[in-house]
Amino acid sequence: MALPLEGITVVSLEHAIAAPFCTRQLADLGARVIKVERPGNGDFARAYDQRVLGQSSHFVWVNRSKESLALDLKHPAAAEVVARLIEQADVLVQNLAPGAAARMGLGAAQLMEKHPKLIVCDISGYGDDGPYRDKKAYDLLIQSEAGFLSVTGTEETPAKSGNSIADIAAGMYAYTNILAALMQRERTGKGSHIDISMLESLAEWMGFPMYYAFDGAVAPQRNGASHATIFPYGPFAVGDGGAVMLGIQNEREWQAFCEIVLQAPDVYEDKRFQGNAQRHANRTVLQGRIDDIFSTLTTDELIRRLDEARIANARVNDMAGLWAHPQLQARDRWRDVDTPAGVIPALLPPGRQSAFSPRMGPIPAVGQHTQAILAELGFDHEVFMRDLPQPADTA
């Protein structure tokens, strides 16, 4: 069954998370993704950790189904290789340091003049103009600039996201913009330049707190995992050491919560807790009463009561809980993926398609496809490689 992007070639000068996450999703849909890496160590994200059979957790997540071409972009002989790659490419993605692509003759304006059908996607911290253009931008720095830390954490201490949320946001917008550009090219025959900013990507995701603070209004306060204005709404400890997240949205649910979950009708009758405003104002007292009852229950018992009362709830899972999540297993979301160190499990991309199954190809070793790609481009591998640094032996 043909994949939607079969026949599309993507060349990516990428590292870390944002660009690789974008291009992995294009590869999931069938695009040929040629990942250009530094000879030897390759993408520096390969060395972030060694948690997956001695390989980086970051790298194996965002680099399946790609071909690795080991190439020193600063070497004079590399320019011709990249030029021939781009001649056959539909899309070029890069998240090099600000200005680096242009200095190598790979700026969007330079390339699109020669290749008018090419789609060029630049991913950077702040975009290709403006006073912040040349600032270095790491995920946590963008979380700070975008105000994410101001609304995340406890009242006393801000907290960053537990994953690379700014990189992920930028990668997602790069991915969707490239899909839109490919559709537009089908209509017009022309390529386009896509300028993706990590700041703008995460700022879009901050829309609710931004508008909540509209026109100088007080911004949302940090409340840990609890809701700022609704109670009870947040995580609650249970007697067996677990934790359950729950949320009460209206008075019908509040009555059911008291009668079925707490099994304490007197709490529902207590005037201090009638209406969300009263519950919020007296949350310390109410929290104590809830904690006393929940301490006598196991996680499974509490979830059964919450489900019976039709109260929205969730387990507060750790990573072990996510690996073993029964819903992911029941929906057959896991596949085996090859890596240079052995087979690992990987989640299918979100969205179960009736028309096709996404590609779940191997994760490449550094330079694994260099010889084949050079030969395809018309280079004599043995002669050419004398002038270029050799990739590390990853066998």
Side-chain angles (χ1 to χ4, degrees):
M1 195 176 297
L3 293 172
L5 296 186
E6 281 187 20
I8 297 296
T9 297
V10 178
V11 175
S12 191
L13 313 178
E14 62 180 28
H15 55 253
I17 301 300
F21 186 48
C22 163
T23 58
R24 193 218 76 190
Q25 293 177 94
L26 297 172
D28 291 342
L29 296 183
R32 180 189 187 189
V33 176
I34 299 174
K35 179 185 181 77
V36 180
E37 299 191 74
R38 295 173 297 176
N41 296 325
D43 181 342
F44 57 71
R46 288 182 181 269
Y48 278 172
D49 58 62
Q50 297 179 318
R51 303 306 292 267
V52 187
L53 304 179
Q55 304 164 108
S56 164
S57 56
H58 291 77
F59 191 86
V60 299
W61 165 42
V62 294
N63 285 288
R64 66 171 178 256
S65 304
K66 299 179 184 180
E67 299 173 37
S68 174
L69 169 63
L71 198 63
D72 180 358
L73 293 174
K74 295 181 180 179
H75 194 287
E80 180 61 20
V81 178
V82 175
R84 293 194 197 181
L85 275 176
I86 290 174
E87 282 178 4
Q88 69 176 26
D90 298 280
V91 181
L92 173 69
V93 179
Q94 69 87 16
N95 68 332
L96 304 177
R103 288 193 296 272
M104 291 187 290
L106 300 175
Q110 299 159 290
L111 291 174
M112 293 177 67
E113 185 176 354
K114 292 180 62 177
H115 309 286
K117 296 184 69 174
L118 183 66
I119 295 166
V120 179
C121 181
D122 298 328
I123 305 174
S124 63
Y126 298 99
D128 67 3
D129 57 5
Y132 280 43
R133 181 191 64 183
D134 297 325
K135 285 178 70 72
K136 285 189 174 182
Y138 304 134
D139 184 87
L140 180 54
L141 305 180
I142 298 298
Q143 290 188 40
S144 299
E145 288 282 355
F148 183 87
L149 270 66
S150 75
V151 297
T152 307
T154 66
E155 184 177 352
E156 298 78 18
T157 308
K160 70 178 184 64
S161 169
N163 60 5
S164 303
I165 190 171
D167 282 322
I168 294 168
M172 286 301 302
Y173 284 116
Y175 167 60
T176 55
N177 272 269
I178 289 169
L179 294 180
L182 288 167
M183 294 174 66
Q184 184 76 356
R185 192 179 70 172
E186 285 293 305
R187 297 192 181 104
T188 67
K190 296 180 180 180
S192 56
H193 176 215
I194 303 167
D195 174 16
I196 297 290
S197 154
M198 291 170 65
L199 175 65
E200 291 161 14
S201 299
L202 191 54
E204 167 65 21
W205 288 12
M206 293 295 293
F208 148 64
M210 284 175 65
Y211 280 116
Y212 191 88
F214 181 69
D215 200 22
V218 176
Q221 301 302 297
R222 294 190 300 268
N223 287 276
S226 298
H227 199 285
T229 57
I230 302 174
F231 192 82
Y233 196 135
F236 290 85
V238 191
D240 61 2
V244 173
M245 184 78 67
L246 64 92
I248 304 297
Q249 294 280 5
N250 53 54
E251 295 310 293
R252 181 205 66 77
E253 291 185 351
W254 170 241
Q255 182 174 3
F257 179 74
C258 293
E259 295 176 351
I260 299 172
V261 180
L262 298 182
Q263 296 183 358
D266 61 297
V267 174
Y268 176 70
E269 300 296 334
D270 194 319
K271 293 183 178 179
R272 293 175 297 175
F273 311 138
Q274 292 181 359
N276 178 67
Q278 285 292 96
R279 291 192 292 275
H280 185 265
N282 295 287
R283 63 188 300 160
T284 301
V285 176
L286 182 53
Q287 176 87 48
R289 188 69 190 276
I290 293 172
D291 287 345
D292 287 344
I293 296 171
F294 282 7
S295 68
T296 68
L297 303 174
T298 66
T299 301
D300 287 343
E301 287 171 340
L302 176 54
I303 287 176
R304 279 197 297 271
R305 289 189 187 185
L306 288 164
D307 287 342
E308 181 185 350
R310 297 170 58 204
I311 304 295
N313 66 84
R315 295 174 187 268
V316 182
N317 276 328
D318 56 13
M319 290 302 96
L322 182 57
W323 274 110
H325 203 292
Q327 185 70 359
L328 296 176
Q329 293 179 6
R331 283 173 55 82
D332 192 28
R333 300 306 296 170
W334 294 101
R335 296 292 182 272
D336 286 340
V337 168
D338 287 328
T339 81
V343 175
I344 63 170
L347 279 170
L348 286 164
R352 191 158 63 182
Q353 281 274 358
S354 63
F356 64 89
S357 296
R359 179 194 294 164
M360 299 290 286
I363 294 157
V366 179
Q368 180 177 336
H369 305 88
T370 300
Q371 183 170 347
I373 293 170
L374 289 177
E376 179 184 336
L377 296 174
F379 292 98
D380 184 319
H381 177 260
E382 295 301 324
V383 174
F384 185 83
M385 293 305 287
R386 292 174 193 162
D387 298 323
L388 286 175
Q390 296 294 311
D393 182 2
T394 56

